[in-house]
Coordinates of all heavy atoms in Angstrom, one line a residue:
M263 N 266.5 34.3 130.5 CA 266.2 35.7 130.3 C 267.5 36.5 129.9 O 267.4 37.5 129.3 CB 265.5 36.3 131.5 CG 264.9 37.6 131.3 SD 263.5 37.4 130.2 CE 262.7 38.9 130.4
S264 N 268.6 36.1 130.4 CA 269.9 36.8 130.1 C 270.5 36.4 128.8 O 271.5 37.0 128.4 CB 270.8 36.5 131.3 OG 271.2 35.2 131.3
V265 N 270.0 35.4 128.1 CA 270.6 35.0 126.8 C 270.6 36.0 125.8 O 271.6 36.3 125.2 CB 269.9 33.6 126.4 CG1 270.5 33.3 125.1 CG2 270.2 32.5 127.4
P266 N 269.4 36.7 125.5 CA 269.4 37.7 124.5 C 270.4 38.8 124.8 O 270.9 39.5 123.8 CB 268.0 38.2 124.4 CG 267.2 37.4 125.2 CD 268.1 36.5 126.1
W267 N 270.6 39.2 126.1 CA 271.4 40.3 126.4 C 272.9 40.0 126.2 O 273.7 40.9 126.0 CB 271.2 40.8 127.8 CG 269.7 41.2 128.0 CD1 268.8 40.6 128.8 CD2 269.0 42.2 127.2 NE1 267.6 41.2 128.7 CE2 267.6 42.2 127.7 CE3 269.3 43.1 126.2 CZ2 266.6 43.0 127.2 CZ3 268.3 43.8 125.7 CH2 267.0 43.8 126.2
R268 N 273.3 38.8 126.2 CA 274.6 38.4 126.0 C 274.9 38.5 124.5 O 276.0 38.8 124.1 CB 274.9 37.1 126.5 CG 275.0 37.0 128.0 CD 275.3 35.6 128.5 NE 275.3 35.6 129.9 CZ 275.4 34.6 130.7 NH1 275.6 33.4 130.1 NH2 275.3 34.6 132.0
V269 N 273.9 38.2 123.6 CA 274.1 38.2 122.1 C 274.0 39.7 121.6 O 274.8 40.1 120.8 CB 273.1 37.3 121.5 CG1 273.2 37.4 120.0 CG2 273.3 35.9 122.0
L270 N 273.0 40.4 122.1 CA 272.7 41.7 121.6 C 273.4 42.7 122.6 O 273.0 42.9 123.7 CB 271.2 42.0 121.6 CG 270.4 41.1 120.7 CD1 268.9 41.3 120.9 CD2 270.8 41.2 119.2
R271 N 274.5 43.4 122.1 CA 275.1 44.3 122.9 C 275.2 45.7 122.1 O 275.3 45.6 120.9 CB 276.6 43.9 123.1 CG 276.6 42.7 124.0 CD 278.0 42.4 124.4 NE 278.0 41.1 125.1 CZ 278.8 40.9 126.1 NH1 279.8 41.7 126.4 NH2 278.8 39.7 126.7
T272 N 275.1 46.7 122.9 CA 275.1 48.0 122.2 C 276.5 48.4 121.8 O 277.5 48.1 122.6 CB 274.6 49.1 123.2 OG1 275.4 49.1 124.3 CG2 273.1 48.9 123.5
P273 N 276.8 49.0 120.6 CA 278.1 49.3 120.3 C 278.6 50.5 121.1 O 277.8 51.3 121.6 CB 277.9 49.7 118.8 CG 276.5 50.2 118.7 CD 275.8 49.4 119.7
P274 N 279.9 50.6 121.3 CA 280.4 51.7 122.0 C 280.3 53.0 121.2 O 280.7 53.1 120.2 CB 281.9 51.4 122.3 CG 282.2 50.4 121.2 CD 280.9 49.7 120.9
V275 N 279.6 53.9 121.9 CA 279.3 55.2 121.2 C 279.9 56.4 122.1 O 279.7 56.4 123.2 CB 277.8 55.4 121.0 CG1 277.5 56.8 120.4 CG2 277.2 54.3 120.2
S276 N 280.7 57.2 121.4 CA 281.3 58.3 122.1 C 280.3 59.5 122.1 O 279.7 59.7 121.0 CB 282.6 58.7 121.6 OG 282.5 59.1 120.3
R277 N 280.2 60.2 123.2 CA 279.3 61.3 123.1 C 279.9 62.5 122.4 O 281.1 62.8 122.7 CB 278.9 61.7 124.6 CG 278.1 60.7 125.2 CD 277.6 61.0 126.6 NE 278.1 62.3 127.1 CZ 277.8 62.7 128.3 NH1 277.0 62.1 129.0 NH2 278.4 63.8 128.8
V278 N 279.2 63.1 121.6 CA 279.7 64.3 120.8 C 279.1 65.5 121.5 O 277.9 65.7 121.7 CB 279.2 64.2 119.4 CG1 279.8 65.5 118.6 CG2 279.8 63.0 118.7
R279 N 280.0 66.5 121.8 CA 279.5 67.7 122.5 C 279.3 68.7 121.4 O 280.1 69.0 120.5 CB 280.6 68.2 123.4 CG 280.9 67.4 124.6 CD 281.6 68.2 125.6 NE 280.9 68.0 126.8 CZ 280.9 68.8 127.8 NH1 281.7 69.8 127.8 NH2 280.2 68.6 128.9
L280 N 278.0 69.2 121.4 CA 277.6 70.2 120.4 C 278.0 71.6 121.0 O 278.0 71.8 122.1 CB 276.1 70.1 120.2 CG 275.5 68.9 119.7 CD1 274.0 68.9 119.6 CD2 276.1 68.6 118.3
P281 N 278.4 72.5 120.0 CA 278.8 73.8 120.4 C 277.6 74.5 121.0 O 276.5 74.4 120.5 CB 279.4 74.5 119.2 CG 278.8 73.7 118.0 CD 278.6 72.3 118.6
R282 N 277.8 75.3 122.0 CA 276.7 76.1 122.6 C 276.4 77.3 121.7 O 277.3 78.0 121.3 CB 277.0 76.5 124.0 CG 277.0 75.2 125.0 CD 277.0 75.7 126.3 NE 275.8 76.4 126.5 CZ 275.3 76.6 127.7 NH1 275.8 76.0 128.7 NH2 274.2 77.2 127.8
V283 N 275.2 77.5 121.5 CA 274.8 78.7 120.7 C 274.2 79.7 121.6 O 273.3 79.4 122.4 CB 273.7 78.3 119.6 CG1 273.2 79.5 118.8 CG2 274.2 77.3 118.7
G284 N 274.8 80.9 121.6 CA 274.4 82.0 122.5 C 273.2 82.7 122.0 O 272.6 82.4 121.0
M285 N 272.7 83.6 122.8 CA 271.6 84.5 122.4 C 272.0 85.4 121.3 O 273.1 85.9 121.2 CB 271.2 85.3 123.6 CG 270.5 84.5 124.8 SD 268.9 83.9 124.3 CE 268.0 85.5 124.3
P286 N 271.1 85.5 120.2 CA 271.4 86.4 119.2 C 271.4 87.9 119.7 O 270.7 88.3 120.6 CB 270.3 86.2 118.2 CG 269.2 85.6 118.9 CD 269.8 84.8 120.1
S287 N 272.1 88.7 118.9 CA 272.2 90.1 119.4 C 270.8 90.8 119.0 O 270.1 90.4 118.1 CB 273.3 90.8 118.6 OG 273.0 90.9 117.3
P288 N 270.5 91.9 119.7 CA 269.3 92.6 119.4 C 269.2 93.1 117.9 O 268.2 93.1 117.3 CB 269.3 93.9 120.4 CG 270.1 93.4 121.5 CD 271.2 92.5 120.9
M289 N 270.4 93.5 117.3 CA 270.3 94.0 116.0 C 270.0 92.9 115.0 O 269.4 93.1 113.9 CB 271.6 94.7 115.6 CG 271.8 96.1 116.2 SD 270.5 97.2 115.7 CE 270.7 97.4 114.0
F290 N 270.6 91.7 115.3 CA 270.3 90.6 114.4 C 268.8 90.2 114.5 O 268.2 89.9 113.4 CB 271.1 89.4 114.9 CG 270.9 88.1 114.0 CD1 271.4 88.1 112.7 CD2 270.2 87.1 114.5 CE1 271.2 87.0 112.0 CE2 270.0 85.9 113.7 CZ 270.5 85.8 112.5
M291 N 268.2 90.2 115.6 CA 266.7 90.0 115.7 C 266.0 91.1 115.0 O 264.9 90.8 114.3 CB 266.4 89.9 117.2 CG 266.9 88.7 117.9 SD 266.5 87.1 117.1 CE 264.7 87.1 117.2
F292 N 266.3 92.3 115.1 CA 265.7 93.4 114.4 C 265.8 93.1 112.9 O 264.8 93.4 112.2 CB 266.3 94.7 114.8 CG 265.8 95.9 114.0 CD1 264.6 96.4 114.2 CD2 266.6 96.4 112.9 CE1 264.1 97.5 113.4 CE2 266.1 97.4 112.1 CZ 264.9 98.0 112.4
F293 N 266.9 92.7 112.4 CA 267.1 92.5 111.1 C 266.2 91.4 110.6 O 265.6 91.5 109.5 CB 268.6 92.1 110.8 CG 268.9 91.7 109.3 CD1 268.9 92.7 108.4 CD2 269.0 90.4 109.0 CE1 269.2 92.3 107.0 CE2 269.3 90.1 107.7 CZ 269.3 91.0 106.7
L294 N 266.1 90.3 111.3 CA 265.2 89.2 110.9 C 263.7 89.7 110.9 O 263.0 89.3 110.0 CB 265.4 88.0 111.9 CG 266.6 87.2 111.8 CD1 266.6 86.1 112.8 CD2 266.7 86.6 110.4
V295 N 263.3 90.4 111.9 CA 261.9 90.9 111.9 C 261.7 91.8 110.8 O 260.6 91.8 110.1 CB 261.6 91.6 113.3 CG1 260.3 92.2 113.2 CG2 261.6 90.4 114.4
F296 N 262.7 92.7 110.5 CA 262.5 93.7 109.4 C 262.4 93.0 108.1 O 261.6 93.4 107.2 CB 263.7 94.7 109.5 CG 263.6 95.8 108.5 CD1 262.7 96.9 108.8 CD2 264.3 95.9 107.4 CE1 262.6 97.9 107.9 CE2 264.2 96.9 106.5 CZ 263.4 97.9 106.8
V297 N 263.3 92.1 107.8 CA 263.3 91.4 106.5 C 262.0 90.6 106.3 O 261.4 90.6 105.2 CB 264.5 90.5 106.4 CG1 264.4 89.6 105.2 CG2 265.7 91.3 106.2
S298 N 261.6 89.9 107.3 CA 260.3 89.1 107.3 C 259.1 90.0 107.0 O 258.2 89.7 106.3 CB 260.2 88.2 108.4 OG 260.0 89.0 109.6
Y299 N 259.1 91.1 107.7 CA 258.0 92.1 107.6 C 258.0 92.7 106.1 O 256.9 92.8 105.5 CB 258.2 93.3 108.6 CG 257.1 94.3 108.6 CD1 255.9 94.0 109.1 CD2 257.3 95.6 108.0 CE1 254.9 95.0 109.1 CE2 256.3 96.5 108.1 CZ 255.1 96.2 108.6 OH 254.1 97.1 108.6
F300 N 259.2 93.0 105.6 CA 259.3 93.4 104.2 C 258.8 92.4 103.2 O 258.1 92.7 102.3 CB 260.7 93.8 103.9 CG 260.9 94.2 102.4 CD1 260.5 95.4 101.9 CD2 261.5 93.3 101.6 CE1 260.7 95.7 100.6 CE2 261.7 93.7 100.2 CZ 261.3 94.9 99.8
L301 N 259.2 91.1 103.4 CA 258.8 90.1 102.5 C 257.3 89.8 102.5 O 256.6 89.6 101.5 CB 259.5 88.8 102.8 CG 261.0 88.8 102.5 CD1 261.6 87.5 102.9 CD2 261.2 89.0 101.0
V302 N 256.7 89.9 103.7 CA 255.2 89.8 103.8 C 254.5 90.9 103.2 O 253.5 90.7 102.4 CB 254.8 89.6 105.3 CG1 253.3 89.8 105.5 CG2 255.3 88.3 105.8
L303 N 255.0 92.2 103.4 CA 254.2 93.3 102.8 C 254.5 93.4 101.3 O 253.6 93.9 100.6 CB 254.7 94.6 103.4 CG 254.2 94.9 104.8 CD1 254.7 96.2 105.4 CD2 252.7 94.8 104.9
S304 N 255.6 93.0 100.8 CA 255.8 93.1 99.3 C 255.1 92.0 98.6 O 255.0 92.1 97.4 CB 257.3 92.9 99.1 OG 257.8 91.6 99.4
G305 N 254.5 91.0 99.2 CA 253.8 90.0 98.6 C 254.6 88.8 98.1 O 254.0 87.8 97.5
T306 N 255.8 88.7 98.5 CA 256.7 87.6 98.1 C 256.2 86.3 98.7 O 256.1 85.3 98.1 CB 258.1 87.9 98.4 OG1 258.5 89.1 97.8 CG2 259.0 86.7 98.0
I307 N 255.9 86.4 100.0 CA 255.5 85.2 100.7 C 254.1 84.7 100.2 O 253.8 83.5 100.0 CB 255.3 85.5 102.2 CG1 256.6 86.0 102.8 CG2 254.8 84.3 103.0 CD1 257.7 84.9 102.8
Y308 N 253.2 85.6 99.9 CA 251.9 85.4 99.3 C 252.1 84.7 98.0 O 251.3 83.7 97.7 CB 251.1 86.6 99.2 CG 249.8 86.4 98.5 CD1 248.7 85.9 99.2 CD2 249.6 86.7 97.2 CE1 247.4 85.7 98.6 CE2 248.4 86.4 96.6 CZ 247.3 86.0 97.3 OH 246.1 85.7 96.7
D309 N 252.9 85.2 97.2 CA 253.1 84.6 95.8 C 253.7 83.2 95.9 O 253.4 82.3 95.1 CB 254.0 85.4 95.0 CG 253.3 86.7 94.5 OD1 252.1 86.7 94.6 OD2 254.0 87.6 94.1
V310 N 254.5 82.9 96.9 CA 255.1 81.6 97.0 C 254.1 80.6 97.6 O 254.0 79.4 97.0 CB 256.3 81.6 98.0 CG1 256.7 80.2 98.4 CG2 257.5 82.3 97.4
I311 N 253.2 81.0 98.4 CA 252.2 80.1 99.0 C 251.1 79.9 98.0 O 250.7 78.8 97.7 CB 251.6 80.7 100.3 CG1 252.7 80.7 101.4 CG2 250.5 79.9 100.8 CD1 252.4 81.4 102.6
V312 N 250.5 80.9 97.3 CA 249.3 80.9 96.6 C 249.7 80.4 95.1 O 248.9 79.8 94.4 CB 248.6 82.2 96.6 CG1 247.3 82.1 95.6 CG2 248.1 82.4 98.0
E313 N 250.8 80.9 94.6 CA 251.3 80.6 93.2 C 250.2 81.1 92.2 O 249.6 80.3 91.5 CB 251.6 79.1 93.0 CG 252.8 78.7 93.8 CD 253.0 77.2 93.6 OE1 252.3 76.5 92.8 OE2 253.9 76.7 94.3
P314 N 250.0 82.4 92.0 CA 249.0 82.9 91.1 C 249.5 82.6 89.7 O 250.7 82.5 89.4 CB 249.0 84.4 91.4 CG 250.2 84.7 91.9 CD 250.7 83.5 92.8
P315 N 248.6 82.4 88.7 CA 249.0 82.1 87.4 C 249.7 83.3 86.7 O 249.3 84.5 87.0 CB 247.6 81.7 86.7 CG 246.6 82.4 87.5 CD 247.1 82.4 88.9
S316 N 250.6 83.0 85.9 CA 251.3 84.2 85.2 C 250.8 84.3 83.7 O 251.3 85.1 83.0 CB 252.8 83.9 85.2 OG 253.1 82.7 84.5
I317 N 249.8 83.5 83.3 CA 249.3 83.6 82.0 C 247.7 83.7 82.1 O 247.1 82.9 82.8 CB 249.6 82.4 81.1 CG1 251.2 82.4 80.9 CG2 248.9 82.4 79.8 CD1 251.6 81.3 80.0
G318 N 247.2 84.7 81.4 CA 245.7 84.9 81.4 C 245.3 84.6 79.9 O 246.0 84.2 79.1
S319 N 244.0 85.0 79.7 CA 243.5 84.8 78.3 C 242.7 86.1 78.0 O 242.1 86.8 78.8 CB 242.6 83.6 78.2 OG 241.5 83.7 79.1
Q320 N 242.7 86.4 76.7 CA 242.0 87.6 76.2 C 241.3 87.1 74.9 O 241.8 86.4 74.1 CB 243.0 88.7 75.9 CG 242.4 90.0 75.4 CD 243.4 91.0 75.2 OE1 244.6 90.7 75.2 NE2 243.0 92.2 75.0
R321 N 240.1 87.7 74.7 CA 239.3 87.4 73.5 C 239.8 88.3 72.3 O 239.9 89.4 72.4 CB 237.9 87.6 73.7 CG 237.0 87.1 72.5 CD 235.5 87.2 72.8 NE 235.1 86.4 74.0 CZ 234.6 85.2 73.8 NH1 234.4 84.7 72.7 NH2 234.2 84.6 74.9
D322 N 240.1 87.6 71.2 CA 240.5 88.3 70.0 C 239.3 89.0 69.4 O 238.3 88.3 69.1 CB 241.1 87.4 69.0 CG 241.8 88.1 67.8 OD1 241.9 89.3 67.9 OD2 242.1 87.4 66.9
P323 N 239.3 90.4 69.3 CA 238.1 91.0 68.8 C 237.7 90.6 67.4 O 236.5 90.7 67.0 CB 238.4 92.5 68.9 CG 239.9 92.6 69.0 CD 240.4 91.3 69.6
E324 N 238.7 90.3 66.5 CA 238.4 89.9 65.1 C 237.8 88.5 64.9 O 236.8 88.3 64.3 CB 239.6 90.1 64.3 CG 240.1 91.5 64.2 CD 241.4 91.5 63.4 OE1 241.9 90.5 62.9 OE2 242.0 92.7 63.4
T325 N 238.5 87.5 65.6 CA 238.0 86.1 65.4 C 237.1 85.6 66.5 O 236.4 84.7 66.4 CB 239.3 85.2 65.3 OG1 240.0 85.2 66.6 CG2 240.1 85.6 64.2
G326 N 237.2 86.3 67.7 CA 236.4 85.8 68.8 C 237.0 84.7 69.6 O 236.3 84.2 70.5
Q327 N 238.1 84.2 69.3 CA 238.8 83.1 70.0 C 239.6 83.6 71.1 O 240.1 84.8 71.1 CB 239.6 82.3 69.0 CG 238.8 81.6 68.0 CD 239.7 80.6 67.2 OE1 240.9 80.5 67.4 NE2 239.0 79.9 66.2
H328 N 239.9 82.8 72.1 CA 240.7 83.2 73.2 C 242.2 83.0 72.9 O 242.6 82.0 72.3 CB 240.3 82.3 74.4 CG 239.0 82.7 75.0 ND1 238.8 83.8 75.8 CD2 237.8 82.1 74.9 CE1 237.5 83.8 76.2 NE2 236.8 82.8 75.6
M329 N 243.0 84.0 73.3 CA 244.4 84.0 73.1 C 245.1 84.0 74.5 O 244.6 84.8 75.3 CB 245.0 85.2 72.3 CG 244.2 85.5 71.0 SD 244.9 86.8 70.1 CE 245.1 88.1 71.4
P330 N 246.2 83.3 74.7 CA 246.9 83.4 75.9 C 247.7 84.7 76.0 O 248.3 85.1 75.0 CB 247.9 82.2 75.9 CG 248.0 81.8 74.5 CD 246.7 82.2 73.9
V331 N 247.7 85.4 77.1 CA 248.4 86.7 77.2 C 249.2 86.6 78.5 O 248.7 86.4 79.6 CB 247.3 87.8 77.4 CG1 248.1 89.1 77.6 CG2 246.5 87.9 76.1
P332 N 250.5 86.7 78.4 CA 251.3 86.7 79.6 C 251.2 88.2 80.3 O 251.1 89.2 79.6 CB 252.7 86.5 79.1 CG 252.8 87.0 77.7 CD 251.3 86.8 77.2
F333 N 251.3 88.1 81.7 CA 251.3 89.4 82.3 C 252.2 89.3 83.5 O 252.6 88.3 83.9 CB 249.9 89.9 82.8 CG 249.1 88.9 83.6 CD1 249.3 88.8 85.0 CD2 248.3 87.9 83.0 CE1 248.6 87.9 85.7 CE2 247.5 87.1 83.7 CZ 247.7 87.0 85.1

């Protein structure tokens, strides 16, 4: 039972200390909430998620055929 453990050894790994991240300031949190609220109300988030088409169609009154119309 000890044979595989003599062949398979873990490599020496040094532990890396990550820098501690403190609490964000109240003004930073207000800024994040304010910007996200603005993006939601302006419709930017909706447009990214839904991706509405930017080209429609309109019937030509003379020929009766559909023409693409950007809007």
